[in-house]
Amino acid sequence: MLNAEKVVFTGRKWDNKEYTWFTGYTGLRSETAAERRDRRPEDILSEAVRRMLPKSKLGRKMLTKLKIYTGTEHPHQAQQPESIELGTK
């Protein structure tokens, strides 16, 4: 998935939507969607996809196959399949 920085929220979600996580210390760490977009925009999409997947080994395996990039460039190449001629009948 490319152009992760172009994600769009409607209304006031950039200011009101908060992402929280536990650090091991007392209390939770949190940040707004706008702060997360400025810091790491690909995390917004990966969190959304992770929450849609099943909460099992299969869901975690599927998430490892998801590739999200900011910008239009990525290090992957397109597949170039070649046809193979099999024996004729």
Side-chain angles (χ1 to χ4, degrees):
M1 188 175 298
L2 299 175
N3 297 323
E5 73 278 357
K6 294 183 181 180
V7 67
V8 176
F9 284 155
T10 58
R12 299 185 60 196
K13 290 188 185 104
W14 287 117
D15 300 322
N16 294 341
K17 187 173 181 68
E18 285 193 348
Y19 294 93
T20 60
W21 62 96
F22 181 65
T23 62
Y25 291 102
T26 305
L28 295 174
R29 185 87 191 258
S30 67
E31 67 182 355
T32 63
E35 292 170 350
R36 183 164 283 198
R37 177 193 58 203
D38 296 337
R39 191 171 57 89
R40 292 199 48 164
E42 61 271 4
D43 285 353
I44 293 174
L45 291 174
S46 64
E47 275 295 302
V49 172
R50 182 185 67 83
R51 291 172 179 170
M52 288 187 244
L53 292 176
K55 280 54 172 184
S56 62
K57 293 179 184 179
L58 177 61
R60 288 186 286 277
K61 181 69 174 178
M62 292 167 73
L63 192 60
T64 60
K65 297 177 183 181
L66 177 67
K67 307 295 183 215
I68 300 175
Y69 299 102
T70 56
T72 58
E73 299 298 320
H74 60 84
H76 306 291
Q77 298 179 16
Q79 295 179 358
Q80 302 294 328
E82 297 177 6
S83 61
I84 298 174
E85 293 296 326
L86 299 176
T88 60
K89 287 187 175 181

